[in-house]
Amino acid sequence: MSDVGLRAERDAMHDALRDIAARIRSAAPRVVVAGDAILDRWLRGDVTRVSREAPVPVVEVDEPELCAGGAANTAVNLAALGASVSLIATVGDDEDGRALDALLRRAGVDTARVVVRDGACTASKTRVVGADQIVVRVDHLPKGEPSDVDRAALRRALSTVTPDDVLVLCDYGTGCFDDDTVAWLATERPVARTIVVDAHDGRRWAPMRPDLVTPNALEAGLLLGRPLGHGIDRAVAVEAARDELLAASGSSAVVVTLDRDGTVALDPGRAPSRTRARSAPEHQASGAGDTFVAALATAVAVGAPLGVGAGFAQAAADVVTARPGTAVARLADVERELRGSDGDPVGTRFLAASELVDALAARRVAGARVVFTNGCFDVIHRGHTTHLRQAKALGDVLVVALNDDASVRRLKGPERPVNPLGDRIAVLEALDCIDYLTAFDEDTPIALLEALRPDVYAKGGDYTPEMLAETPVVRAAGGEVRILDYLPDHSTTRVVDRIRSVTATPETSTMRHP
């Protein structure tokens, strides 16, 4: 194909991908997720020493970060992408189950059909991260088969799926789908207009004849009875094994995900299509498969061809692999990813004050509790991220207001900010705990607080509410002021001073010169 033809094909694909986002926003498609819901717990901290009890690092952890994992993560991503989503799953009658339910409801996921199992635990995965490395992962999984009562409740929930729904079945082997339920689903196939299966072992789902399956490289190897191999040849191997994969999975179509090598979409009657993944560290890939499946299901729900849907889903996966932990891709994030380097310099979560008033009014109608915090956020450090996570835990929607460059100079001196406003916004947009960003040009955010009337004003540092000029404004509007944990030795000024002291020290060398 000529360069002109390639450019035309690329432009047509970009137009189709952007059209998916517009159609999702207009349609809010109905998607039901059923399967293994998991609570992801992340414990992060610094490592400064090794334990005396054993040769292991001592991680001084901050507050735990709780995230929806497994099928629950797929559901949360669907909601963030604009789908109307409900979850069918089993959880334990325990603290983890209640925490997971709260996370789901806060994200806008309908949990009315979640089955609570007496005497069983909620599946959870706890990752301890020290110095940006996962030190250990601890899994806590339910034991034994579901009871007849639990099995019957799950089947009743699955029987409520309608012809208007896309059904996503997530089978990760943590206990939701026993063999009897899988066999029942094969016989009593739900009436959903599209059934997507994301399973560790797709062979057990083949008798149900799903419409689409999404195995990774290892799972595709299980279907084939042989490994795909490694490197770029894996994509070639997938294309060569198209008929085998379709037959073994019992599915009408297959999309094989190959992590760093992107994906291959196999649709009978069409040539295989590929996507390319953005390179990312392996430890940041947690949950990316859930995001991919959610985005693919959303695209399929609005009628996107399989290859185009895979491209949209790849963009969503690239969003979350650029972030630490179990992250979520919002529809606006994916649109920005699709725009690439030609996109707006300011991110899509950044709103002017007037726009923010309207956005928060809509969230309040849905019962959301609004938390507001502010600062310069010039050089992001551990104190910032800790405070932002603590602030988000105080409500449902977190608004972060930044001093513009002129007000930072007035407050911090002529050599600040180190980073201009656009760069500071772009960095904060990578933090999933933030819902909206805005900026102000006064020395205090009092005018913003009067306009936005948050339920909570969160402030970090060595303060009391009585020391803040903003406190009377917040309380007059019916809000409360909360002081976050004080973290000594974690400030932008100290970071900048340390950098300057290092760069100002003459370098020494032990090299011998001839």
Side-chain angles (χ1 to χ4, degrees):
M1 184 180 294
S2 68
D3 289 346
V4 174
L6 287 171
R7 282 195 296 271
E9 184 178 275
R10 180 201 61 194
D11 292 345
M13 174 61 80
H14 286 174
D15 290 343
L17 291 170
R18 287 190 289 268
D19 180 60
I20 290 176
R23 286 152 68 180
I24 292 170
R25 185 171 282 108
S26 174
R30 291 166 51 106
V31 183
V32 177
V33 179
D36 294 310
I38 300 169
L39 179 68
D40 277 358
R41 183 181 289 103
W42 293 82
L43 301 175
R44 294 186 176 86
D46 290 340
V47 176
T48 58
R49 56 197 172 95
V50 175
S51 172
R52 288 184 295 178
E53 295 106 337
V56 295
V58 175
V59 182
E60 300 173 6
V61 301
D62 298 326
E63 288 295 316
E65 179 185 358
L66 301 180
C67 307
N73 188 33
T74 301
V76 167
N77 272 274
L78 278 157
L81 289 166
S84 174
V85 57
S86 60
L87 177 66
I88 298 173
T90 58
V91 298
D93 185 12
D94 55 11
E95 184 178 345
D96 282 356
R98 288 183 284 275
L100 183 56
D101 181 72
L103 287 169
L104 289 161
R105 292 164 68 89
R106 185 178 299 167
V109 177
D110 177 9
T111 61
R113 289 180 277 185
V114 172
V115 177
V116 179
R117 294 177 58 188
D118 290 334
C121 73
T122 300
S124 68
K125 296 181 179 180
T126 299
R127 298 170 177 87
V128 180
V129 182
D132 203 33
Q133 294 291 325
I134 296 179
V135 177
V136 66
R137 192 184 92 181
V138 180
D139 291 1
H140 192 202
L141 304 178
K143 306 298 183 184
E145 296 286 325
S147 68
D148 290 341
V149 172
D150 295 333
R151 189 181 291 114
L154 183 65
R155 292 180 184 182
R156 283 196 300 273
L158 289 164
S159 297
T160 63
V161 175
T162 75
D164 293 328
D165 298 326
V166 169
L167 174 61
V168 181
L169 297 168
C170 302
D171 178 16
Y172 308 136
T174 65
C176 182
F177 294 123
D178 64 342
D179 290 340
D180 288 344
T181 299
V182 174
W184 176 84
L185 279 166
T187 303
E188 305 291 333
R189 192 180 192 273
V191 295
R193 62 191 179 98
T194 304
I195 296 179
V196 181
V197 170
D198 181 34
H200 283 345
D201 188 353
R203 295 171 297 185
R204 68 197 303 243
W205 293 95
M208 196 182 67
R209 313 295 298 177
D211 300 297
L212 173 62
V213 297
T214 57
N216 60 27
L218 180 61
E219 294 157 358
L222 286 175
L223 287 170
L224 293 172
R226 63 180 185 276
L228 283 177
H230 302 282
I232 59 173
D233 289 340
R234 292 187 302 172
V236 175
V238 168
E239 294 182 15
R242 176 174 66 176
D243 293 342
E244 289 180 84
L245 287 168
L246 290 167
S249 65
S251 180
S252 301
V254 178
V255 176
V256 180
T257 60
L258 302 171
D259 46 79
R260 63 186 180 278
D261 296 324
T263 71
V264 181
L266 306 174
D267 195 358
R270 301 190 183 193
S273 61
R274 289 196 59 184
T275 68
R276 266 71 177 179
R278 177 193 294 168
S279 178
E282 186 68 25
H283 68 272
Q284 290 187 189
S286 176
D290 302 328
T291 301
F292 181 90
V293 171
L296 181 60
T298 310
V300 168
V302 296
L306 187 62
V308 176
F312 179 81
Q314 182 68 70
D318 287 344
V319 168
V320 300
T321 56
R323 300 172 178 173
T326 306
V328 172
R330 296 175 174 84
L331 185 59
D333 296 330
V334 181
E335 289 179 298
R336 184 179 180 187
E337 180 71 21
L338 293 172
R339 285 199 298 270
S341 59
D342 295 329
D344 299 331
V346 173
T348 50
R349 276 185 276 169
F350 181 90
L351 298 178
S354 58
E355 297 172 315
L356 192 51
V357 169
D358 294 337
L360 293 180
R363 300 296 293 268
R364 284 191 169 104
V365 169
R369 177 176 168 89
V370 177
V371 182
F372 178 101
T373 191
N374 67 280
C376 300
F377 297 98
D378 190 4
V379 177
I380 302 298
H381 52 74
R382 177 183 170 190
H384 288 136
T385 56
T386 299
H387 284 161
L388 289 170
R389 287 199 298 269
Q390 290 177 350
K392 180 57 183 277
L394 298 174
D396 304 306
V397 177
L398 176 59
V399 177
V400 178
L402 291 86
N403 296 77
D404 74 357
D405 293 347
S407 67
V408 174
R409 281 191 290 272
R410 290 196 301 271
L411 293 170
K412 303 292 184 179
E415 295 183 349
R416 299 278 298 277
V418 174
N419 295 300
L421 180 62
D423 288 352
R424 290 184 278 138
I425 291 169
V427 171
L428 288 176
E429 276 216 315
L431 300 181
D432 196 55
C433 60
I434 299 173
D435 294 281
Y436 296 106
L437 292 156
T438 193
F440 60 100
D441 55 11
E442 300 90 356
D443 291 347
T444 73
I446 287 177
L448 262 179
L449 290 167
E450 291 174 338
L452 302 180
R453 302 171 66 89
D455 300 287
V456 181
Y457 176 49
K459 190 69 176 175
D462 192 11
Y463 297 103
T464 66
E466 289 68 30
M467 295 170 63
L468 301 174
E470 298 89 345
T471 295
V473 175
V474 174
R475 290 176 173 170
E480 61 175 310
V481 178
R482 297 286 295 272
I483 302 301
L484 305 174
D485 293 344
Y486 175 58
L487 296 179
D489 298 325
H490 287 85
S491 73
T492 298
T493 299
R494 288 180 180 273
V495 172
V496 171
D497 288 346
R498 285 201 297 269
I499 293 171
R500 285 173 174 163
S501 67
V502 170
T503 57
T505 302
E507 292 187 7
T508 60
S509 174
T510 59
M511 292 182 62
R512 297 178 180 272
H513 296 278

